[in-house]
């Protein structure tokens, strides 16, 4: 591991010098493009930023979700670039849309910041939001800006369902549990950054910008997933939501969770169990779902089974209760 104590700075005018409407023009002045530079066109968006409301037209049921990122709680400006913060703000919401089995369509963004924040930081953050949205096939259609003591970004994501939503309450006895995406990487990255280091690079990058498996939610829904959730607070914690909503016991097979080299490196350097990172680490925003045996889509990894219905639902690891916290809990940590 290599130490890095550099802070993210910024030059040029502040957002106070630019003014509210100047800031809005700066962050809405150019549309979303793909990684190859092609414009992102979403047919459901009839009118984007510029009026009192965006105008969208959906042909099916709509899902919506809101999540907020607060400076000092969800990100630090000396750890992450403005672009990375913007991408993370979009990703955590888009993952929720995916977890319902829906296709992401649009984002609405409320941005609050101190008056002396450099304008470039705000525009770079906006670029990050658009970039991540385009990865999911969505666009930013509007929002609001205001002043605050710290940077805060609140995103509302909208998605469209092609069929019934995949709820947490749909897990069935005899189904298997499968994961799509990373586990423990973001938590390992947080451990590394908290100790003043910037490597292994892979886990640090996973902490800064979650690698949401875009398209996997629709794929799971098409395969008949019983229940699904994104791993935001930890695998055991989030599987616990499925277990309680479905009134079942979810059993995780620890041997089905191999330890990547980067997690092993963090474990060796810090003494934190790699199993703890895999099972209780949050912020990866991978998807975990239940499927009938034989119907697990390609690229999903089976990691456990769903037991019988019970009046004492919960999660087990290799048949036993996990000792200690199962994941992150707001207001307690």
């Amino acid at each position: 591991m290599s130490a890095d104590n550099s802070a993210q700075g910024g030059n040029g005018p502040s957002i106070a010098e630019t003014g509210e409407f100047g800031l809005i023009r700066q962050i809405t002045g150019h549309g979303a493009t793909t990684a190859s530079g092609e414009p992102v066109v979403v047919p459901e968006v009839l009118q984007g930023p510029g009026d009192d409301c965006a105008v969208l037209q959906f042909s099916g049921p709509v899902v919506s979700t809101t999540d907020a990122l607060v400076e000092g709680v969800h990100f630090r400006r000396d750890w992450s670039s403005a672009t990375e913060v913007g991408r993370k703000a979009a990703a955590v919401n888009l993952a929720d849309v995916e977890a319902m089995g829906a296709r992401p369509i649009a984002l609405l963004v409320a941005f609050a910041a101190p008056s002396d924040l450099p304008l470039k930081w705000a525009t770079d953050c906006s670029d990050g939001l658009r970039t991540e949205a385009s990865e999911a096939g969505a666009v930013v259609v509007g929002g609001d800006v205001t002043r605050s003591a710290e940077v805060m970004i609140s995103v509302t994501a909208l998605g469209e369902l092609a069929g019934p939503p995949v709820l947490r309450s749909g897990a069935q006895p005899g189904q298997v549990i499968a994961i799509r995406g990373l586990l423990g990487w973001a938590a390992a990255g947080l451990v590394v950054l908290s100790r003043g280091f910037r490597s292994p690079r892979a886990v640090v990058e996973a902490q800064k910008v979650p690698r949401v498996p875009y398209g996997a939610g629709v794929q799971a829904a098409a395969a008949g997933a019983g229940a699904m959730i994104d791993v935001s607070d930890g695998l055991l914690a989030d599987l616990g939501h499925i277990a309680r909503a479905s009134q079942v016991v979810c059993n995780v097979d620890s041997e089905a969770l191999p330890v990547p080299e980067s997690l092993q490196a963090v474990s060796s350097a810090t003494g934190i169990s790699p199993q703890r990172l895999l099972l209780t680490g949050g912020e990866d925003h991978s998807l975990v779902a239940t499927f009938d045996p034989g119907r697990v889509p390609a690229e999903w990894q089976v990691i456990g089974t769903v037991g019988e219905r019970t009046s004492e639902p919960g999660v087990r690891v290799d048949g036993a209760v996990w000792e200690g916290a199962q994941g992150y809990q707001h207001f307690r940590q």
Side-chain angles (χ1 to χ4, degrees):
M1 296 185 183
S2 58
D4 187 340
N5 297 315
S6 63
Q8 295 290 336
N11 299 315
S14 68
I15 58 177
E17 294 168 324
T18 306
E20 176 185 357
F21 298 107
L23 173 61
I24 291 172
R25 285 192 296 271
Q26 286 283 339
I27 63 180
T28 62
H30 44 91
T33 58
T34 64
S36 61
E38 297 295 321
V40 178
V41 178
V42 179
E44 291 83 359
V45 179
L46 305 183
Q47 179 64 43
D51 286 88
D52 290 316
C53 291
V55 182
L56 297 91
Q57 181 170 296
F58 294 90
S59 59
V62 177
V63 301
S64 63
T65 183
T66 298
D67 211 336
L69 268 66
V70 179
E71 183 178 1
V73 178
H74 302 95
F75 67 90
R76 283 174 44 172
R77 279 190 273 158
D78 59 335
W79 285 358
S80 300
S81 70
T83 302
E84 290 166 338
V85 173
R87 292 192 64 176
K88 185 173 186 176
V92 301
N93 284 274
L94 293 164
D96 285 335
V97 173
E98 290 278 347
M100 297 295 290
R103 179 172 63 92
I105 298 294
L107 300 180
L108 293 158
V109 182
F111 179 81
S115 298
D116 60 355
L117 183 78
L119 173 63
K120 187 177 187 311
W121 200 98
T123 56
D124 285 352
C125 182
S126 177
D127 288 343
L129 281 155
R130 283 194 294 267
T131 296
E132 192 67 24
S134 71
E135 291 289 317
V139 292
V140 178
V141 297
D144 187 31
V145 298
T146 190
R147 184 177 63 186
S148 66
E150 304 288 349
V151 176
M152 191 276 290
I153 308 160
S154 179
V155 178
T156 295
L158 303 172
E160 184 177 43
L161 289 164
V166 184
L167 306 178
R168 299 176 181 183
S169 57
Q172 301 294 321
Q175 290 187 323
V176 296
I177 302 166
I179 190 84
R180 174 78 186 273
L182 304 177
L183 282 178
W185 289 52
L190 180 60
V191 169
V192 168
L193 288 167
S194 298
R195 285 161 170 75
F197 297 94
R198 294 296 179 104
S199 63
R201 183 177 176 183
V203 298
V204 170
E205 291 181 347
Q207 163 59 217
K208 293 179 179 181
V209 181
R211 300 183 192 176
V212 180
Y214 294 120
V218 170
Q219 179 191 41
M228 184 159 52
I229 194 171
D230 76 306
V231 182
S232 57
D233 295 324
L235 176 64
L236 299 186
D238 291 313
L239 267 180
H241 296 313
I242 287 179
R244 287 185 290 274
S246 301
Q247 289 292 291
V248 295
V249 171
C250 293
N251 189 61
V252 176
D253 177 5
S254 64
E255 292 188 358
L257 299 172
V259 181
E261 183 178 341
S262 55
L263 264 64
Q264 187 60 62
V266 173
S267 176
S268 298
T270 64
I272 297 176
S273 162
Q275 195 174 51
R276 175 182 160 192
L277 293 171
L278 287 165
L279 294 172
T280 71
E283 294 194 286
D284 284 304
H285 296 281
S286 55
L287 299 179
V288 61
T290 68
F291 298 93
D292 291 335
R295 296 204 62 185
V296 181
E299 299 181 322
W300 288 72
Q301 178 185 0
V302 175
I303 61 168
T305 56
V306 179
E308 295 298 319
R309 299 204 184 279
T310 176
S311 59
E312 298 182 358
V315 183
R316 304 288 184 269
V317 179
D318 301 327
V321 175
W322 175 262
E323 297 295 335
Q326 295 193 344
Y328 183 83
Q329 295 185 35
H330 290 279
F331 307 111
R332 290 188 181 181
Q333 294 171 282

